[in-house]
Amino acid sequence: LGRHYVGERESLLGSLCLTAYWYTNVGGAAMYNNNVTLIALWHLTILAFHHALVSNRLRAWILTGVLLGCSLLCKYSAVVLALSMPIFIVAAPAGRRRVRTAGPWRAALAATRVFLPHAAGMLLEFGGSYAYLEAKRVSLGLLPFGLLMGRDWLVQAVIAAPVVLSVLPLVD
């Protein structure tokens, strides 16, 4: 798939990054959580999106939307993928050819139909993760909460470090 967009060398680089990434390798086996499921759904969504762009088949676009909706159900950070897809469609010549077709719009509709019941429930209840974070911030105070969030970001940076270090020798 990568060779279709960026060439053989860069595609190999991407594969090495996936191999070095903690969640798709050792971390997924050691600690199965929603991050592992999310990453698998991201890969499937991107694969379906590529197939939809190339074939322009309505089934492929709907599958892309359903997988994107499932990714959003898995974890809200999938909004990054949801926002990057229309940017790619507008920026890439292959995508611009598809904007005037029903496919991307059907994909957006399918993703919305999958995710909307959950989003509506969260807005009506305003519980779950938002209330949890607010209660944590109030109970800890602003500075300790910021330190806790900083620690979490640092952990993610350590997890991503092997990916960055594995590709540094290959970068021109």
Side-chain angles (χ1 to χ4, degrees), residues 136 147-157:
K136 196 174 203 179
L147 292 173
L148 183 66
M149 296 300 286
R151 182 205 65 190
D152 291 346
W153 279 98
L154 182 62
V155 167
Q156 293 302 316

Side-chain angles (χ1 to χ4, degrees), residues 34 41 68-76 78 114-119:
N34 63 333
L41 284 169
L68 181 60
C70 289
S71 296
L72 288 165
L73 287 174
C74 187
K75 200 166 183 182
Y76 299 145
V114 169
F115 185 67
L116 189 61
H118 172 73

Side-chain angles (χ1 to χ4, degrees), residues 1 7 16 19-20 24 30 44-45 47 65 72 77 81 96 100 105 107 113 116 124 130 134 142 151 160 168:
L1 179 61
L16 290 173
T19 303
T24 57
L44 290 171
T45 304
L47 185 62
L72 288 165
S77 62
L81 178 61
R96 285 194 297 270
R100 292 188 181 99
W105 308 105
R113 290 191 66 168
L116 189 61
L124 290 174
Y130 300 114
E134 181 62 18
L142 190 56
R151 182 205 65 190
L168 282 178

Side-chain angles (χ1 to χ4, degrees), residues 20-118:
Y21 190 53
W22 191 73
Y23 285 119
T24 57
N25 200 340
V26 177
M31 187 177 71
Y32 187 77
N33 59 25
N34 63 333
N35 290 325
V36 177
T37 307
L38 175 67
I39 290 171
L41 284 169
W42 273 49
H43 293 159
L44 290 171
T45 304
I46 292 168
L47 185 62
F49 181 59
H50 169 74
H51 181 66
L53 281 172
V54 171
S55 71
N56 201 30
R57 293 180 60 188
L58 196 54
R59 278 183 10 187
W61 284 110
I62 292 172
L63 177 63
T64 301
V66 168
L67 288 169
L68 181 60
C70 289
S71 296
L72 288 165
L73 287 174
C74 187
K75 200 166 183 182
Y76 299 145
S77 62
V79 75
V80 172
L81 178 61
L83 293 174
S84 67
M85 292 167 77
I87 291 170
F88 181 84
I89 286 176
V90 170
R96 285 194 297 270
R97 288 192 299 269
R98 304 296 184 220
V99 171
R100 292 188 181 99
T101 67
W105 308 105
R106 293 281 176 96
L109 181 63
T112 302
R113 290 191 66 168
V114 169
F115 185 67
L116 189 61
H118 172 73

